[in-house]
Amino acid sequence: MDVPRSSASVPFALAAALVLTACSGGVHGTPGAAGVRDPYFPKAGNGGYDVTHYGLTLSYDPDGRDLTGSAEITARATKNLSAFHLDLKGLDVKSVTVEGREASWNRAGQELTVRPHDDLDRGETFRATVRYSGSPETITDPDGSKEGWLHTADGALALGEPTGSMAWFPGNHHPSDKASYDIAVTVPEGLRAVSNGELRSETTRQGRSTFRWHTAEPMASYVAMVAIGAFDIRRSTTKSGLPVYVAVDPGQAKASAEVLAKLPGIMEWEAYNFGPYPFASTGAVVDQGDDVGYALETQNRPVFPGAPDTATLVHELAHQWYGDSVTPKSWRDMWLNEGFATYAEWLYEEDHDGDTAQETFDALYRGDYYDDASAGEAVWAFPPAKPTSAAHISDSPVYERGAMVLHKIRRTVGDDTFYDIIQGWAATHRHGNADTADFTAYVEKKAPDKDFSEIWKDWLYGDGKPARP
């Protein structure tokens, strides 16, 4: 329920905050923006600060579907701030403090507006703590898929692409603001809570178990994840010594065993082709098949709706380089995630006695790659760098036609330069953000003697099916 911090009316609370500010030396800051003007999700994210760390302490009761949380957000002000916004959908806010002092706050839609007791100076690092509770929401995306907090038969699954993370913790929920995370989740004894990064501790007391996870590398909130359930846990390492942590719903253990056994080998293959793995551990979460209708590249360990096939495992693990480490600046740049991960599937098949990437490209261009003719036509619905709306950022042109752009680059520059490009791209923007303009400029810099104008004009930005030379 959207209520102010106290029983005072919102206007009175805001007026009081202004009086307190005036008494402490006068207003010198302005409110941060409510949104970063993303072309498809303009309300997502917030202006005026940059989050460096989230400390989330969560307790969940699956029977009552009750979540109690505390979010300690460490951020740096990028301007003089009299107030700032956090994205939070649903849930009841109990209190907000900034630098240990009680702050005024109010709610409007997905915006939690916080007015600190004292204005924040540009460059100042500050800590805001939000305590909240309630039954977290499941969000329906513009394309009809479900995200946010998904209730499962034995627990819950929290997924965030593109905006679902605001259903379970307050924050700056746009991919352009990445941070490190500590996530502690307490659940009834017998259940497990799996998240990103590395498991630092697991303790049980008075019938409740607490799992503490740490993610040191920057992470966009849309690839943050919590999975709660009666998982079977498998730990191993790759040949290079990378820790592997896999959580599997017992009902999916037999069906997923063969493909999951390939995970260490796939990781070695991807590191050889894409460059050093950008994180400290890897793995997977396999939930019940009917809990969610899609796989997602959650950082460190992707989530799968039931036993994955090899191509899907390759795809989601490739996202660890392209999407999770190199993260788009806006949702318009999704093809830099999905085109790369789709092309990884083609390359893996090519290297493992399947169709070559050229054969896959040719089948898509002819229109006989899919049994359904309409699916073949959908590849050309719009250019990969210009999805028509928020409802279409995960449509076929972003995936298949995005991969075709990469294949055109490969054919233009040759394999040696192509692998230099995709490895260098991952290294140059490691743990950062980039957009399509950054990518095209990078390609042109790496191959200055080649002409990419046709690829950019016809394949990346052009409407309709390009004429094939």
Side-chain angles (χ1 to χ4, degrees), residues 46 189 236 275 296 355 418 422 430 445:
N46 303 282
E189 183 177 2
S236 61
L296 188 63
D355 289 344
F418 177 74
I422 62 173
R430 182 182 175 97
K445 181 179 179 181

Side-chain angles (χ1 to χ4, degrees), residues 322-338:
Y322 308 110
D324 293 7
S325 177
V326 184
T327 303
K329 288 181 180 177
S330 82
W331 290 109
R332 175 181 285 147
D333 304 300
M334 271 285 280
W335 84 275
L336 290 172
N337 294 14
E338 303 302 348

